[in-house]
Amino acid sequence: MRLGRRNRQGGARHDRTDRCVADLVGALGPERVRADGAARHLASADASMFSDGTAGPVCFPDSTEHVQAVMRVAASHDRAVLPRGAGSGLSGGAAPLGDPIVVSTTRMNRVLEVDAEDRVAWVQPGVVNLDLSRQVAPLGLHFAPDPSSQQVCTIGGNVANNSGGPHCLAYGVTSAHVLAVEVVLSSGEAVVLGGLDAEPSGYDLRGAFVGSEGMFGIATKIAVRLTPDPESIKTLLLSFDSVADAAATVGAVIASGLVPAAVEMMDQRCVAAVEDFVQAGYPREAAAVLLIEVDGLSRGVEADTRKVAEIGRAHGGNVRVAADEEERALLWKGRKSAFGAIARVAPDYYLHDTVVPRSKLVEVLKAVYEIVDRHDLVAVNVFHAGDGNLHPLLAYDSRQPGANERVAAAGQEILEVSLAVGGVLSGEHGIGVEKRDFMEFQFTAADLEQQALLRRSFDPHCRLNPGKVLPSAHSCADVASLSASRPDGVWG
Amino acid sequence: MTDSLGLLGVDQAELDSCVACGLCLPHCPTYRVTGADTHSPRGRIALMRVVDEGIAPLSDEIVESFDSCIQCRACETACPGDVPFGHLLEATKEFVETTQRRAPWWLKLGLRGLTRPRLLRFVSSSLAVAQRLRLVPSRRMGIPERLPVRRRALRPTGDDVWLFTGCVMDAWQRDVHLATKEVVEATGTTVRPTGDAAPCCGALHTHAGLGDDARKLAARVISALDGDNAILVNSAGCGAALKDYGRLLDSDEARAFSERVLDVHEWLADRIDQIEMPDAQARTGGRVAIQDPCHVRHVQGTHMAVRRVLEPFVSELVELDDEGMCCGAGGAFSLVQRQLALDVRDRKTAAIDRAEADVVVSANPGCSMHLAAAGHAVRHPVELIAEALRSR
Ligand SMILES: Cc1cc2nc3c(=O)[nH]c(=O)nc-3n(C[C@H](O)[C@H](O)[C@H](O)COP(=O)(O)OP(=O)(O)OC[C@H]3O[C@@H](n4cnc5c(N)ncnc54)[C@H](O)[C@@H]3O)c2cc1C
Ligand code: SF4
Ligand code: SF4
């Protein structure tokens, strides 16, 4: 893992891309290709702190045919290709290695077809997650996966990272809501994986594609399942004097047989940062707060709300139920802005993402606090407590000498603790470059070889998003194609 | 954190407060219509950073990224980290203007004209006559299609409050000032229009990177409006600019001045019960859609006051479903970046159409002209209030 301040390399660069750019312009038209330093610099990073390469020309296709044309030009120049959605990823998935042609999907942003009866929508990959839900709201439907970044991230990015969100506890992550994907392969061929039937025959290639982090192909159309809005929703805010009480409450709620729509936890420091931004009345003095949502038919929701409140109080919690939709929206706005609100604490952050068994939450959290203290860092914790998906956020100032190294060391120790108690590497942010070199901690060489084989069967030349996910020993031609073209920078 | 100054001369702590999370992107009108990172707040900040640190030269594409910003500041209200984008961009534009002098000559000439009220009124009336004779292509020039040839007089009634009259608005939309005065007086308050003594707030100069001109105008306005009575403003852009004099001039006098400035709706909201309400039949307007000027909603944060004040006087108030997205006017932006301004406006037009409104209200002269040019019936909120009061 290499941490560094976002992309500050400069330097001259001889432009071997001229002919390639000319071909791209020929295929797409000049208004859909940018090869200048400004555009390339900005396509060289996502929302993470990882960046090693620099974007080559940046393309803005608006159709499947455009994407196919880019793939063919890339093949003829033997160039790598990197799909890019909103660039909100946190694991460096959309941050280039080498100098790939970047395919930005932001102009492929149309909802193509909505079937309210079958609750299916065909969308282009650049449709913003929340825009889709807004657009189908009048039909009483929504797209269930709701990452905290849902106002900005694209459905294509959600599919590539198999993203989750607070409400995925009850409804399942992205994969459960994708029926079919039209994919442009590195050959330029377009294929449809999956289908609208309940049980499409043959292998579930759709399932393989979801979560492939831009390395199997570029999604150009996606059929998503739409979920009916619940008849009734209640949101409870529970505050506790200790993180252990909050964690015990989560365990007890789930053990009681309830399946809340969402169970989110924030610690004190996080609450403070969030409250400064939204002023939703989050209790600053509490050691931890839980945001629990129950939904369904009105009568059941009333009963579930009472039950959750009882369990919370039995664990010493203070309970507040959002009185109306406005209060509810404000509480969620706070939760969903938590990462950004961290800017109030320090100029840089590293957002971790691991999953541990729920029963180990308290133990792992204790270890996290101990690790960051020892490395003289500040940690803010905000996470999907219902499924044990931890998001320790390390706030720091990368200009302090040694800060990057301390963050990297603490990050690795947190991972090791999570894996030691039976957890996994990543809950929802993907592997990207961030966790690539840790894959060997979780998988055997044979496991990784199988993954590499799958990857090569989609993309034999390893042209798509090379160098990600799989550690170098398993990533076939990636290494060769990257070392062949280490660029110096975009301002040549 | 340091606040040392790099090449750009902006506060580096302010620059560093952006953690690149991207949550501002969907709220940015220019990113929404082009999908380019160079047209996004996060991208613009990243480009400020490379220029500031001397990593990249100030290329045409980088300048275009800054110039294509409408300065609506929607990214500020969206940003959970409180990044002061408006200040950063203003400082950046000033740096670009002082090092490269890029603002078009006709824009600078026009902006100078704003500070000379008599000349402005003369030019405006001449244009109005030319329009009647069909000698000017109003739409292409981006000016209202029927400028007033004559203006009704705006006479003071006392000294309780100032009514800031500004430049273009006084020349082109005097009726809005008359309506504002009428509504403020209905609360039993006397009004003194600022008139030619304080000819222009300098907002457009700040936005164009003409910092020296802006600071000179600010000093002139402050010395013209001494005393401690409130200064009421009915133009969103002017109000935001006057409230920012404290920061612009960084003096106690300027800060004290800014404290006195109030958006007229904000002032009225506290006094609405002093006005005798019309009965239901006298309410005006049919279905009235509220369009929040960015400098009301994202800068002054007084958009709820507009609703509170207007609600009792109109038959039906409806919200647009675009969460206060910019209309694309942006002061002189719609003249300088024509295509982008039109593309952004198309989104607003679609939202207005979805609301099936009979009339749109907007408390900013630039927005109302820009929207009127797209064929919408646009009024200032106080005009509808004044009409309801008259038919009481
Ligand atoms: C504040 C904040 C909160 C977040 N909260 C959550 C959260 O709660 N849950 C969660 O899971 N994630 C979260 N994320 C991470 C991120 O938003 C998600 O991973 C999101 O799905 C990325 O979408 P994007 O459009 O930004 O994709 P990008 O970052 O642009 O790309 C992500 C990956 O997808 C690939 N890709 C993009 N489009 C395509 C396509 N059309 N075809 C093939 N590959 C493609 C890229 O190559 C890259 O590997 C958060 C991020 C931020 C900044
Ligand atoms: S300006 Fe604010 S919202 Fe936008 S990327 Fe920076 S920190 Fe995030
Ligand atoms: S001020 Fe408006 S146009 Fe400029 S970056 Fe912010 S949101 Fe975009």
Side-chain angles (χ1 to χ4, degrees), chain A residues 388-414:
Chain A
N389 187 183
L390 283 185
H391 289 307
L393 221 159
L394 312 185
Y396 66 107
D397 183 345
S398 66
R399 284 163 308 185
Q400 280 174 5
N404 290 330
E405 291 72 24
R406 280 184 287 134
V407 172
Q412 175 161 349
E413 284 176 41
I414 292 173

Side-chain angles (χ1 to χ4, degrees), chain A residues 8 87 106-107 131 151 399, chain B residues 16 27 32 34-35 42 53:
Chain A
R8 299 193 164 184
T106 50
R107 290 197 200 160
D131 285 357
Q151 54 172 305
R399 284 163 308 185
Chain B
D16 280 338
H27 303 274
R32 274 294 187 167
T34 71
R42 174 174 71 173
E53 295 181 2

Side-chain angles (χ1 to χ4, degrees), chain A residues 5-10 34 36-39 41-43 45-47 60 84-88 104 106-107 109 128 131 134 148-149 151-152 277 333 336-337 339-349 397 399 491, chain B residues 1-2 12 16-27 31-40 42-44 46-47 49-50 53 55-57 59 61-62 64-65 76-83 321 323 347:
Chain A
R5 224 177 158 68
R6 221 166 284 107
N7 217 12
R8 299 193 164 184
Q9 66 273 58
R34 296 268 313 251
D36 58 275
H41 175 71
L42 297 182
D46 57 8
F60 296 90
R84 176 181 178 87
S88 76
S104 165
T106 50
R107 290 197 200 160
N109 61 358
V128 170
D131 285 357
R134 287 234 175 91
S148 304
S149 52
Q151 54 172 305
V152 51
F277 176 52
K333 183 174 179 196
K336 294 202 168 178
S337 327
F339 303 149
I342 289 319
R344 293 159 188 274
V345 178
D348 299 293
Y349 71 61
D397 183 345
R399 284 163 308 185
W491 308 112
Chain B
M1 271 188 236
T2 60
Q12 280 182 331
D16 280 338
S17 62
C18 171
V19 295
C21 67
L23 291 180
C24 51
L25 264 55
H27 303 274
Y31 176 76
R32 274 294 187 167
V33 299
T34 71
D37 283 295
T38 47
H39 290 151
S40 80
R42 174 174 71 173
R44 289 177 176 124
L47 293 176
R49 212 173 257 162
V50 287
E53 295 181 2
I55 291 170
S59 65
E61 289 83 8
I62 293 185
E64 195 275 338
S65 166
E76 270 185 44
T77 35
C79 173
D82 258 357
V83 173
D321 60 7
E323 289 194 296
R347 290 180 67 97

Side-chain angles (χ1 to χ4, degrees), chain B residues 225-242:
Chain B
L225 309 183
D226 56 0
D228 52 13
N229 42 355
I231 299 155
L232 306 189
V233 192
N234 56 12
S235 142
C238 305
L242 296 175

Side-chain angles (χ1 to χ4, degrees), chain A residues 429-477:
Chain A
H429 296 168
I431 302 295
V433 279
E434 178 198 5
K435 306 253 173 73
R436 177 189 59 204
D437 298 335
F438 298 126
M439 287 289 274
E440 280 152 331
F441 291 12
Q442 190 182 338
F443 297 102
T444 65
D447 291 343
L448 292 172
E449 201 40 56
Q450 291 308 310
Q451 298 200 21
L453 275 174
L454 179 62
R455 193 280 175 94
R456 273 195 296 261
S457 61
F458 276 89
D459 177 17
H461 303 287
C462 298
R463 189 162 286 129
L464 280 151
N465 204 3
K468 304 289 173 66
V469 181
L470 297 175
S472 46
H474 302 275
S475 51
C476 73

Side-chain angles (χ1 to χ4, degrees), chain A residues 10 19 73 76 79 94 124 127 134 137 151 154 160 184 219 257 268 387 420 425-427 467 476:
Chain A
R19 265 184 316 134
V73 173
S76 70
R79 288 284 292 260
Q124 286 190 306
V127 169
R134 287 234 175 91
Q151 54 172 305
T154 65
V184 172
Q268 188 162 23
D387 42 21
L425 275 179
S426 163
C476 73

